[in-house]
Amino acid sequence: MTFQNAGWVPSRRSVMKGMGAAAAALAAPGVLRRAYAQDPIVLLTWETYHDPAWCKEWSEANGVEVKPVVIGSVDELFSQPFSGAVQPDIMYIETGSLPRFKQAGLIVPFDTSKVPNIANITSKLDWKKYTNVDGDIVGVPYNWGTQPLMFNADTIKSPDTWAALWDEQYRGKVNVFDDCTIVFPMIALHVGAKDPFNLTDADFEACEKALRTLRQQVRTIARGFDDATTIYAAGDAVIGYCQNIAVVTSLQDKGKNFNYSLPKEGTPTWIDCAGVSKKGNRDIVYKFMNDNLAVKWQARFIEASTNNGVLDLTEAKSGGVTEATLKRTNIPDSQAGDFWEKLVILQKPEDFDRRLQMWNDFKAGTL
């Protein structure tokens, strides 16, 4: 197996990737930085979220440089600001982690009055329910997505249960990605936990047993969307837990017959929200976030990445998202009345440290 050493800090590969991106973004030539009157807007963001060309376009139009730094996991997102290498203005945080980021002082209350384009967020997304921490809204959605069961459709026929990952016929051909925050709810759903975010001691014992068995199934763990795509394209995995359906569409673009399903136990679902640091609590940063929620920006984002963005079906079409692209997103399906009942929105867990220790033991093979 190709697991990295366990530990609280992110994997070496993730650190090097993040540090490399940070070095490229933050150590840019001084001439470029001096061309702008205000401090740059530094993003800790995800693959496909902020194309450098789009950021450059916005920078030139607004006279403020935008510097996107790509991260590969929620754990890396949390640890990067403490490393000193990056001082972000905006971080893109899934809802279940918002309380942890607020408690750590990484984000401040979000001034929604400065982002009128919030009105463009689909009414299907009940986001305020999940972004309110101790009475404060601390983030606004930029994108949402399901984390389904993905599979090679040439060899596997529409599995409808997470138990497929434990099927011995796929031993050595299962993939998961390196993110305790996001993977653990799937494990909890698989073992039948009543509430995947409030586990009992018995639930934890069941999760430990399931992880111990799963380790025998997994040969390679993915660290980001691109890494997962490479693993599946090389034939090193035929089934796995999908971090983002963009992995599936990327494989389809490569001529690989991959698909995904929403298991009957429930599908973990994330809402990535823009959270603002104390440093980022300034008008120009809010302008950037507001422009990111414009129909034009969101439609381009959806078209280019096949992410869901935050628009409803009508707005996405009006913004120019093609029918072919819409079919590769969850947007059309999300209009159905029972769609959201199949999803499990990520929330704050009962004991993150306990989950993280078990996850690290899983990676280290010491469970």
PDB file of all heavy atoms in Angstrom, residues 117-123 293-296 298-299 302 310-321 326 331 335:
ATOM      1  N   ASN A 117     -25.243  39.210  -4.159  1.00  0.00           N
ATOM      2  CA  ASN A 117     -25.436  38.094  -5.090  1.00  0.00           C
ATOM      3  C   ASN A 117     -25.750  36.781  -4.378  1.00  0.00           C
ATOM      4  O   ASN A 117     -25.960  35.747  -5.039  1.00  0.00           O
ATOM      5  CB  ASN A 117     -24.212  37.923  -5.986  1.00  0.00           C
ATOM      6  CG  ASN A 117     -24.201  38.922  -7.125  1.00  0.00           C
ATOM      7  OD1 ASN A 117     -25.248  39.423  -7.538  1.00  0.00           O
ATOM      8  ND2 ASN A 117     -23.027  39.230  -7.643  1.00  0.00           N
ATOM      9  N   ILE A 118     -25.827  36.822  -3.049  1.00  0.00           N
ATOM     10  CA  ILE A 118     -26.339  35.671  -2.307  1.00  0.00           C
ATOM     11  C   ILE A 118     -27.717  35.285  -2.845  1.00  0.00           C
ATOM     12  O   ILE A 118     -28.112  34.116  -2.811  1.00  0.00           O
ATOM     13  CB  ILE A 118     -26.423  35.995  -0.797  1.00  0.00           C
ATOM     14  CG1 ILE A 118     -25.026  35.942  -0.170  1.00  0.00           C
ATOM     15  CG2 ILE A 118     -27.352  35.035  -0.063  1.00  0.00           C
ATOM     16  CD1 ILE A 118     -24.989  36.386   1.280  1.00  0.00           C
ATOM     17  N   ALA A 119     -28.426  36.265  -3.400  1.00  0.00           N
ATOM     18  CA  ALA A 119     -29.760  36.008  -3.957  1.00  0.00           C
ATOM     19  C   ALA A 119     -29.716  35.001  -5.096  1.00  0.00           C
ATOM     20  O   ALA A 119     -30.745  34.404  -5.441  1.00  0.00           O
ATOM     21  CB  ALA A 119     -30.372  37.325  -4.446  1.00  0.00           C
ATOM     22  N   ASN A 120     -28.533  34.772  -5.692  1.00  0.00           N
ATOM     23  CA  ASN A 120     -28.414  33.828  -6.800  1.00  0.00           C
ATOM     24  C   ASN A 120     -28.271  32.384  -6.337  1.00  0.00           C
ATOM     25  O   ASN A 120     -28.326  31.464  -7.160  1.00  0.00           O
ATOM     26  CB  ASN A 120     -27.206  34.185  -7.668  1.00  0.00           C
ATOM     27  CG  ASN A 120     -27.377  35.512  -8.384  1.00  0.00           C
ATOM     28  OD1 ASN A 120     -28.503  35.911  -8.697  1.00  0.00           O
ATOM     29  ND2 ASN A 120     -26.283  36.211  -8.638  1.00  0.00           N
ATOM     30  N   ILE A 121     -28.078  32.165  -5.040  1.00  0.00           N
ATOM     31  CA  ILE A 121     -27.924  30.803  -4.527  1.00  0.00           C
ATOM     32  C   ILE A 121     -29.267  30.087  -4.593  1.00  0.00           C
ATOM     33  O   ILE A 121     -30.286  30.598  -4.122  1.00  0.00           O
ATOM     34  CB  ILE A 121     -27.398  30.813  -3.083  1.00  0.00           C
ATOM     35  CG1 ILE A 121     -26.014  31.473  -3.021  1.00  0.00           C
ATOM     36  CG2 ILE A 121     -27.320  29.394  -2.523  1.00  0.00           C
ATOM     37  CD1 ILE A 121     -25.476  31.639  -1.612  1.00  0.00           C
ATOM     38  N   THR A 122     -29.276  28.902  -5.170  1.00  0.00           N
ATOM     39  CA  THR A 122     -30.513  28.150  -5.326  1.00  0.00           C
ATOM     40  C   THR A 122     -31.228  27.966  -4.002  1.00  0.00           C
ATOM     41  O   THR A 122     -30.619  27.675  -2.969  1.00  0.00           O
ATOM     42  CB  THR A 122     -30.241  26.762  -5.948  1.00  0.00           C
ATOM     43  OG1 THR A 122     -31.462  26.002  -5.940  1.00  0.00           O
ATOM     44  CG2 THR A 122     -29.177  25.994  -5.197  1.00  0.00           C
ATOM     45  N   SER A 123     -32.546  28.117  -4.030  1.00  0.00           N
ATOM     46  CA  SER A 123     -33.355  27.959  -2.820  1.00  0.00           C
ATOM     47  C   SER A 123     -33.369  26.515  -2.332  1.00  0.00           C
ATOM     48  O   SER A 123     -33.754  26.245  -1.193  1.00  0.00           O
ATOM     49  CB  SER A 123     -34.792  28.428  -3.091  1.00  0.00           C
ATOM     50  OG  SER A 123     -35.389  27.648  -4.126  1.00  0.00           O
ATOM     51  N   LEU A 293     -20.282  35.022  -7.020  1.00  0.00           N
ATOM     52  CA  LEU A 293     -21.651  34.506  -6.981  1.00  0.00           C
ATOM     53  C   LEU A 293     -22.526  35.084  -8.086  1.00  0.00           C
ATOM     54  O   LEU A 293     -23.716  34.789  -8.157  1.00  0.00           O
ATOM     55  CB  LEU A 293     -22.287  34.791  -5.617  1.00  0.00           C
ATOM     56  CG  LEU A 293     -21.662  34.065  -4.421  1.00  0.00           C
ATOM     57  CD1 LEU A 293     -22.395  34.423  -3.137  1.00  0.00           C
ATOM     58  CD2 LEU A 293     -21.665  32.553  -4.620  1.00  0.00           C
ATOM     59  N   ALA A 294     -21.938  35.899  -8.951  1.00  0.00           N
ATOM     60  CA  ALA A 294     -22.672  36.402 -10.109  1.00  0.00           C
ATOM     61  C   ALA A 294     -23.004  35.236 -11.040  1.00  0.00           C
ATOM     62  O   ALA A 294     -22.247  34.266 -11.138  1.00  0.00           O
ATOM     63  CB  ALA A 294     -21.840  37.442 -10.849  1.00  0.00           C
ATOM     64  N   VAL A 295     -24.121  35.319 -11.719  1.00  0.00           N
ATOM     65  CA  VAL A 295     -24.527  34.235 -12.621  1.00  0.00           C
ATOM     66  C   VAL A 295     -23.448  33.975 -13.672  1.00  0.00           C
ATOM     67  O   VAL A 295     -23.137  32.819 -13.985  1.00  0.00           O
ATOM     68  CB  VAL A 295     -25.882  34.578 -13.282  1.00  0.00           C
ATOM     69  CG1 VAL A 295     -26.215  33.569 -14.392  1.00  0.00           C
ATOM     70  CG2 VAL A 295     -26.989  34.605 -12.240  1.00  0.00           C
ATOM     71  N   LYS A 296     -22.851  35.037 -14.195  1.00  0.00           N
ATOM     72  CA  LYS A 296     -21.828  34.873 -15.226  1.00  0.00           C
ATOM     73  C   LYS A 296     -20.635  34.085 -14.718  1.00  0.00           C
ATOM     74  O   LYS A 296     -20.151  33.157 -15.381  1.00  0.00           O
ATOM     75  CB  LYS A 296     -21.362  36.250 -15.716  1.00  0.00           C
ATOM     76  CG  LYS A 296     -20.283  36.186 -16.787  1.00  0.00           C
ATOM     77  CD  LYS A 296     -19.869  37.594 -17.226  1.00  0.00           C
ATOM     78  CE  LYS A 296     -18.746  37.533 -18.269  1.00  0.00           C
ATOM     79  NZ  LYS A 296     -18.313  38.903 -18.685  1.00  0.00           N
ATOM     80  N   GLN A 298     -20.474  32.086 -11.986  1.00  0.00           N
ATOM     81  CA  GLN A 298     -20.878  30.742 -11.604  1.00  0.00           C
ATOM     82  C   GLN A 298     -21.107  29.845 -12.818  1.00  0.00           C
ATOM     83  O   GLN A 298     -20.714  28.678 -12.829  1.00  0.00           O
ATOM     84  CB  GLN A 298     -22.145  30.818 -10.748  1.00  0.00           C
ATOM     85  CG  GLN A 298     -21.886  31.142  -9.295  1.00  0.00           C
ATOM     86  CD  GLN A 298     -21.355  29.953  -8.517  1.00  0.00           C
ATOM     87  OE1 GLN A 298     -21.864  28.840  -8.639  1.00  0.00           O
ATOM     88  NE2 GLN A 298     -20.333  30.181  -7.709  1.00  0.00           N
ATOM     89  N   ALA A 299     -21.738  30.403 -13.844  1.00  0.00           N
ATOM     90  CA  ALA A 299     -21.985  29.601 -15.052  1.00  0.00           C
ATOM     91  C   ALA A 299     -20.670  29.186 -15.705  1.00  0.00           C
ATOM     92  O   ALA A 299     -20.536  28.046 -16.171  1.00  0.00           O
ATOM     93  CB  ALA A 299     -22.853  30.398 -16.028  1.00  0.00           C
ATOM     94  N   ILE A 302     -19.203  26.375 -13.552  1.00  0.00           N
ATOM     95  CA  ILE A 302     -19.904  25.111 -13.767  1.00  0.00           C
ATOM     96  C   ILE A 302     -19.532  24.506 -15.117  1.00  0.00           C
ATOM     97  O   ILE A 302     -19.230  23.313 -15.230  1.00  0.00           O
ATOM     98  CB  ILE A 302     -21.427  25.313 -13.671  1.00  0.00           C
ATOM     99  CG1 ILE A 302     -21.822  25.749 -12.258  1.00  0.00           C
ATOM    100  CG2 ILE A 302     -22.173  24.036 -14.067  1.00  0.00           C
ATOM    101  CD1 ILE A 302     -23.246  26.285 -12.154  1.00  0.00           C
ATOM    102  N   VAL A 310     -23.632  27.099  -7.376  1.00  0.00           N
ATOM    103  CA  VAL A 310     -24.750  27.372  -6.460  1.00  0.00           C
ATOM    104  C   VAL A 310     -26.020  27.798  -7.191  1.00  0.00           C
ATOM    105  O   VAL A 310     -27.028  28.121  -6.569  1.00  0.00           O
ATOM    106  CB  VAL A 310     -24.376  28.468  -5.425  1.00  0.00           C
ATOM    107  CG1 VAL A 310     -23.270  27.979  -4.507  1.00  0.00           C
ATOM    108  CG2 VAL A 310     -23.996  29.778  -6.106  1.00  0.00           C
ATOM    109  N   LEU A 311     -26.005  27.806  -8.511  1.00  0.00           N
ATOM    110  CA  LEU A 311     -27.171  28.240  -9.271  1.00  0.00           C
ATOM    111  C   LEU A 311     -28.219  27.141  -9.360  1.00  0.00           C
ATOM    112  O   LEU A 311     -27.894  25.949  -9.316  1.00  0.00           O
ATOM    113  CB  LEU A 311     -26.760  28.647 -10.688  1.00  0.00           C
ATOM    114  CG  LEU A 311     -25.681  29.720 -10.836  1.00  0.00           C
ATOM    115  CD1 LEU A 311     -25.421  29.975 -12.314  1.00  0.00           C
ATOM    116  CD2 LEU A 311     -26.079  31.014 -10.120  1.00  0.00           C
ATOM    117  N   ASP A 312     -29.485  27.548  -9.520  1.00  0.00           N
ATOM    118  CA  ASP A 312     -30.497  26.543  -9.827  1.00  0.00           C
ATOM    119  C   ASP A 312     -30.470  26.271 -11.329  1.00  0.00           C
ATOM    120  O   ASP A 312     -29.713  26.895 -12.082  1.00  0.00           O
ATOM    121  CB  ASP A 312     -31.887  26.972  -9.333  1.00  0.00           C
ATOM    122  CG  ASP A 312     -32.439  28.209 -10.032  1.00  0.00           C
ATOM    123  OD1 ASP A 312     -31.980  28.555 -11.139  1.00  0.00           O
ATOM    124  OD2 ASP A 312     -33.348  28.844  -9.459  1.00  0.00           O
ATOM    125  N   LEU A 313     -31.293  25.346 -11.769  1.00  0.00           N
ATOM    126  CA  LEU A 313     -31.247  24.909 -13.161  1.00  0.00           C
ATOM    127  C   LEU A 313     -31.550  26.053 -14.122  1.00  0.00           C
ATOM    128  O   LEU A 313     -30.862  26.229 -15.138  1.00  0.00           O
ATOM    129  CB  LEU A 313     -32.243  23.764 -13.370  1.00  0.00           C
ATOM    130  CG  LEU A 313     -32.278  23.140 -14.763  1.00  0.00           C
ATOM    131  CD1 LEU A 313     -30.919  22.538 -15.125  1.00  0.00           C
ATOM    132  CD2 LEU A 313     -33.359  22.054 -14.822  1.00  0.00           C
ATOM    133  N   THR A 314     -32.552  26.856 -13.814  1.00  0.00           N
ATOM    134  CA  THR A 314     -32.933  27.955 -14.706  1.00  0.00           C
ATOM    135  C   THR A 314     -31.814  28.982 -14.829  1.00  0.00           C
ATOM    136  O   THR A 314     -31.480  29.425 -15.937  1.00  0.00           O
ATOM    137  CB  THR A 314     -34.216  28.637 -14.197  1.00  0.00           C
ATOM    138  OG1 THR A 314     -35.270  27.676 -14.150  1.00  0.00           O
ATOM    139  CG2 THR A 314     -34.617  29.782 -15.112  1.00  0.00           C
ATOM    140  N   GLU A 315     -31.220  29.364 -13.711  1.00  0.00           N
ATOM    141  CA  GLU A 315     -30.132  30.341 -13.736  1.00  0.00           C
ATOM    142  C   GLU A 315     -28.920  29.802 -14.468  1.00  0.00           C
ATOM    143  O   GLU A 315     -28.251  30.521 -15.214  1.00  0.00           O
ATOM    144  CB  GLU A 315     -29.742  30.732 -12.310  1.00  0.00           C
ATOM    145  CG  GLU A 315     -30.739  31.642 -11.616  1.00  0.00           C
ATOM    146  CD  GLU A 315     -30.295  31.979 -10.209  1.00  0.00           C
ATOM    147  OE1 GLU A 315     -29.705  31.104  -9.548  1.00  0.00           O
ATOM    148  OE2 GLU A 315     -30.534  33.125  -9.769  1.00  0.00           O
ATOM    149  N   ALA A 316     -28.601  28.536 -14.244  1.00  0.00           N
ATOM    150  CA  ALA A 316     -27.449  27.935 -14.913  1.00  0.00           C
ATOM    151  C   ALA A 316     -27.631  27.989 -16.429  1.00  0.00           C
ATOM    152  O   ALA A 316     -26.709  28.341 -17.174  1.00  0.00           O
ATOM    153  CB  ALA A 316     -27.253  26.498 -14.435  1.00  0.00           C
ATOM    154  N   LYS A 317     -28.831  27.659 -16.885  1.00  0.00           N
ATOM    155  CA  LYS A 317     -29.104  27.716 -18.321  1.00  0.00           C
ATOM    156  C   LYS A 317     -29.026  29.142 -18.839  1.00  0.00           C
ATOM    157  O   LYS A 317     -28.462  29.389 -19.916  1.00  0.00           O
ATOM    158  CB  LYS A 317     -30.489  27.120 -18.611  1.00  0.00           C
ATOM    159  CG  LYS A 317     -30.577  25.609 -18.460  1.00  0.00           C
ATOM    160  CD  LYS A 317     -31.988  25.116 -18.789  1.00  0.00           C
ATOM    161  CE  LYS A 317     -32.081  23.603 -18.725  1.00  0.00           C
ATOM    162  NZ  LYS A 317     -33.453  23.131 -19.034  1.00  0.00           N
ATOM    163  N   SER A 318     -29.583  30.086 -18.071  1.00  0.00           N
ATOM    164  CA  SER A 318     -29.558  31.481 -18.519  1.00  0.00           C
ATOM    165  C   SER A 318     -28.138  32.022 -18.572  1.00  0.00           C
ATOM    166  O   SER A 318     -27.833  32.923 -19.355  1.00  0.00           O
ATOM    167  CB  SER A 318     -30.406  32.350 -17.584  1.00  0.00           C
ATOM    168  OG  SER A 318     -29.791  32.506 -16.314  1.00  0.00           O
ATOM    169  N   GLY A 319     -27.259  31.475 -17.743  1.00  0.00           N
ATOM    170  CA  GLY A 319     -25.868  31.906 -17.736  1.00  0.00           C
ATOM    171  C   GLY A 319     -25.033  31.284 -18.831  1.00  0.00           C
ATOM    172  O   GLY A 319     -23.868  31.659 -19.013  1.00  0.00           O
ATOM    173  N   GLY A 320     -25.611  30.318 -19.543  1.00  0.00           N
ATOM    174  CA  GLY A 320     -24.903  29.727 -20.671  1.00  0.00           C
ATOM    175  C   GLY A 320     -24.355  28.338 -20.445  1.00  0.00           C
ATOM    176  O   GLY A 320     -23.615  27.819 -21.299  1.00  0.00           O
ATOM    177  N   VAL A 321     -24.709  27.693 -19.336  1.00  0.00           N
ATOM    178  CA  VAL A 321     -24.253  26.325 -19.119  1.00  0.00           C
ATOM    179  C   VAL A 321     -24.981  25.414 -20.108  1.00  0.00           C
ATOM    180  O   VAL A 321     -26.206  25.448 -20.214  1.00  0.00           O
ATOM    181  CB  VAL A 321     -24.524  25.859 -17.674  1.00  0.00           C
ATOM    182  CG1 VAL A 321     -23.991  24.442 -17.470  1.00  0.00           C
ATOM    183  CG2 VAL A 321     -23.880  26.809 -16.673  1.00  0.00           C
ATOM    184  N   LEU A 326     -24.672  20.223 -18.041  1.00  0.00           N
ATOM    185  CA  LEU A 326     -25.640  20.040 -16.965  1.00  0.00           C
ATOM    186  C   LEU A 326     -25.877  18.564 -16.665  1.00  0.00           C
ATOM    187  O   LEU A 326     -26.041  18.180 -15.495  1.00  0.00           O
ATOM    188  CB  LEU A 326     -26.966  20.715 -17.326  1.00  0.00           C
ATOM    189  CG  LEU A 326     -26.967  22.243 -17.240  1.00  0.00           C
ATOM    190  CD1 LEU A 326     -28.225  22.806 -17.871  1.00  0.00           C
ATOM    191  CD2 LEU A 326     -26.840  22.709 -15.790  1.00  0.00           C
ATOM    192  N   ILE A 331     -27.090  19.172 -10.851  1.00  0.00           N
ATOM    193  CA  ILE A 331     -28.058  20.271 -10.896  1.00  0.00           C
ATOM    194  C   ILE A 331     -29.439  19.819 -11.388  1.00  0.00           C
ATOM    195  O   ILE A 331     -30.452  20.115 -10.718  1.00  0.00           O
ATOM    196  CB  ILE A 331     -27.520  21.438 -11.748  1.00  0.00           C
ATOM    197  CG1 ILE A 331     -26.242  22.008 -11.112  1.00  0.00           C
ATOM    198  CG2 ILE A 331     -28.571  22.541 -11.877  1.00  0.00           C
ATOM    199  CD1 ILE A 331     -25.537  23.056 -11.954  1.00  0.00           C
ATOM    200  N   GLN A 335     -33.390  19.111  -8.671  1.00  0.00           N
ATOM    201  CA  GLN A 335     -34.709  19.733  -8.749  1.00  0.00           C
ATOM    202  C   GLN A 335     -35.808  18.779  -8.287  1.00  0.00           C
ATOM    203  O   GLN A 335     -36.909  19.210  -7.951  1.00  0.00           O
ATOM    204  CB  GLN A 335     -34.999  20.177 -10.189  1.00  0.00           C
ATOM    205  CG  GLN A 335     -33.934  21.072 -10.796  1.00  0.00           C
ATOM    206  CD  GLN A 335     -33.685  22.338  -9.992  1.00  0.00           C
ATOM    207  OE1 GLN A 335     -34.579  23.145  -9.793  1.00  0.00           O
ATOM    208  NE2 GLN A 335     -32.456  22.495  -9.519  1.00  0.00           N
TER     209      GLN A 335
END
